[in-house]
Amino acid sequence: MKRKQHGAQFKAQVAMAALSGEKTLAELSAEYGVHPTMISTWKQELVKRAGELFERGGKTAADPQKTIDRLHQKIGQLQVERDFLVGQPAIARLLKGGR
């Protein structure tokens, strides 16, 4: 039997429900279909790492859009450099395989 893969959002939701204390681990286990030990582990991880959310100057997860924008900028820069070098006669010959 293959193990279930749970996403971060699901884990956070279950851990928050466990942290609220409105239901027991057994009730949460039946509701979400996850073993009580896993719920307990996710809850402990949430409590342990909750302080990281409020740290100033700490490293945060990289914004995917910023990463994409930075890579597009780099691609553009490399294209400009390549086009410049192709315009140089000596380099153009080398790029074409000549001497």
Side-chain angles (χ1 to χ4, degrees):
M1 190 163 127
K2 190 171 182 178
R3 288 182 168 195
K4 290 182 185 176
Q5 298 289 322
H6 300 289
Q9 188 67 31
F10 177 77
K11 291 177 183 180
Q13 179 183 359
V14 175
M16 289 295 291
L19 197 57
S20 72
E22 294 177 9
K23 296 181 180 178
T24 65
L25 287 178
E27 291 171 334
L28 291 172
S29 175
E31 181 178 339
Y32 291 104
V34 179
H35 196 276
T37 305
M38 287 306 303
I39 296 174
S40 178
T41 302
W42 295 342
K43 178 182 169 185
Q44 289 172 1
E45 185 72 15
L46 177 65
V47 170
K48 182 175 86 175
R49 298 185 62 198
E52 293 175 16
L53 296 173
F54 301 104
E55 287 181 2
R56 289 185 181 233
K59 284 202 163 212
T60 58
D63 181 22
Q65 189 58 44
K66 285 183 181 179
T67 303
I68 291 170
D69 292 342
R70 185 176 47 80
L71 291 173
H72 281 148
Q73 180 182 8
K74 185 66 175 176
I75 289 169
Q77 176 187 352
L78 291 172
Q79 286 175 337
V80 168
E81 290 174 3
R82 183 202 61 205
D83 292 344
F84 173 77
L85 292 174
V86 166
Q88 304 299 316
I91 304 236
R93 283 193 306 268
L94 288 174
L95 291 175
K96 290 180 182 176
R99 288 191 146 213

